[in-house]
């Protein structure tokens, strides 16, 4: 179970963190009140998803797996950096949602 969770997290980590062209188009085309509401809900949901992902990375970064200290520190730093990136993305999505 842990391996499956770790693999899924690593898969998510390899995705590029950024607002995609499709999402930019969605923002641009949201002119009616209903479209703006839907777009706002979408961006707010994405922000929550990234916050949850950041919390998972933070939890993984605090786990100790034994082995060499240098490798353990490197792993902790890697997951801490991923958590920070996910929080930045969450802030981007939340700011876009707040603009609508």
């Amino acid at each position: 179970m842990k391996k499956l969770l770790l693999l899924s997290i690593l898969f998510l980590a390899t995705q590029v963190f950024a607002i995609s062209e499709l999402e930019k188009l969605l923002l641009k085309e949201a002119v009616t009140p209903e479209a703006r509401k839907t777009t706002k809900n979408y961006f707010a949901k994405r922000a929550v998803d990234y916050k949850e992902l950041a919390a998972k990375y933070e939890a993984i970064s605090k786990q100790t797996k034994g082995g060499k200290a240098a490798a353990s520190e490197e792993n902790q730093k890697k997951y801490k950096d991923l958590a920070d990136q996910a929080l930045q993305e969450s802030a981007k999505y939340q700011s876009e949602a707040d603009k609508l």
Side-chain angles (χ1 to χ4, degrees):
M1 186 65 181
K2 285 185 179 181
K3 288 182 182 181
L4 181 61
L5 176 64
L6 184 60
L7 286 174
S8 63
I9 290 173
L10 287 175
F11 175 74
L12 291 173
T14 59
Q15 294 179 353
V16 177
F17 292 109
I19 294 177
S20 71
E21 292 297 319
L22 183 60
E23 291 169 335
K24 288 178 185 177
L25 181 63
L26 183 64
L27 284 170
K28 183 180 175 183
E29 296 295 322
V31 291
T32 64
E34 186 177 311
R36 291 173 61 86
K37 180 180 177 185
T38 303
T39 304
K40 182 176 182 170
N41 289 340
Y42 170 77
F43 277 88
K45 173 69 172 126
R46 292 284 293 184
V48 169
D49 290 345
Y50 274 112
K51 282 182 186 178
E52 290 172 357
L53 183 62
K56 289 178 185 178
Y57 283 142
E58 192 70 33
I60 290 172
S61 74
K62 293 178 182 177
Q63 291 177 352
T64 57
K65 296 185 180 185
K68 304 236 179 222
S72 179
E73 282 181 30
E74 188 176 312
N75 253 356
Q76 289 176 345
K77 183 182 180 309
K78 177 177 76 173
Y79 285 111
K80 179 67 174 152
D81 290 343
L82 285 172
D84 292 341
Q85 285 179 338
L87 283 175
Q88 289 173 357
E89 285 300 310
S90 174
K92 286 179 188 177
Y93 277 100
Q94 190 61 50
S95 71
E96 290 297 329
D98 292 340
K99 288 178 187 177
L100 295 172

